[in-house]
Amino acid sequence: MAFWEDPSVKALSSGMDALWQKQQVISHNIANVETPGYKAKHVEFKEVLKKSEDGGEPVKEYRTVVSVDESTQARADGNNVQVESEELELWKTYVEYSTLTSRMSKKFSSLRYVINNAGK
């Protein structure tokens, strides 16, 4: 099995991609805190079933969906960004991303070990 086809590597990679997108959306919200009429956006992770390439069992896949927050109370200018909440969410996302990065690094270290010691 190829390294990139390993289910755990795929999961780590897609998780990192999703968290990167979430960081971008949160940063965009914070940057627009003073923009009249701006509505905060949020990233959700959705589980979807996808047909497998070999025609076998369906495969679960996680995708990100960006939605506009219409439910929270807006200020007088129509903007509904809450900076403190966005900053907290950005910090949590950073920690999650760092954790996945560390796990991916360990996967590469294991692969490097196997390659370096394969002929010994």
Side-chain angles (χ1 to χ4, degrees):
M1 175 186 305
F3 180 76
W4 291 110
E5 296 302 316
D6 181 290
S8 62
V9 171
K10 280 184 165 183
L12 287 169
S13 178
S14 64
M16 289 170 65
D17 290 344
L19 289 169
W20 177 257
Q21 183 178 7
K22 188 173 181 178
Q23 287 177 356
Q24 296 302 307
V25 168
I26 294 169
S27 296
H28 190 75
N29 287 343
I30 292 170
N32 283 286
V33 70
E34 297 297 326
T35 305
Y38 180 83
K39 301 292 184 199
K41 294 172 181 59
H42 298 285
V43 175
E44 298 174 38
F45 303 104
K46 299 279 184 173
E47 182 179 323
V48 294
L49 287 175
K50 177 182 150 187
K51 280 189 168 183
S52 66
E53 293 175 11
D54 63 2
E57 292 286 318
V59 178
K60 288 182 185 177
E61 184 177 281
Y62 295 93
R63 294 190 183 159
T64 56
V65 176
V66 178
S67 59
V68 177
D69 182 1
E70 300 287 350
S71 64
T72 58
Q73 188 69 21
R75 297 186 315 236
D77 67 358
N79 188 309
N80 68 351
V81 175
Q82 298 172 347
V83 177
E84 296 82 12
S85 147
E86 296 291 335
E87 288 173 342
L88 178 61
E89 195 62 33
L90 186 60
W91 175 249
K92 284 196 243 180
T93 304
Y94 167 75
V95 170
E96 291 171 354
Y97 188 85
S98 295
T99 301
L100 292 185
T101 302
S102 175
R103 289 184 180 175
M104 184 66 90
S105 179
K106 288 178 184 175
K107 284 281 191 188
F108 279 112
S109 293
S110 296
L111 181 62
R112 188 177 319 114
Y113 176 81
V114 169
I115 291 170
N116 290 336
N117 294 304
K120 295 181 181 181

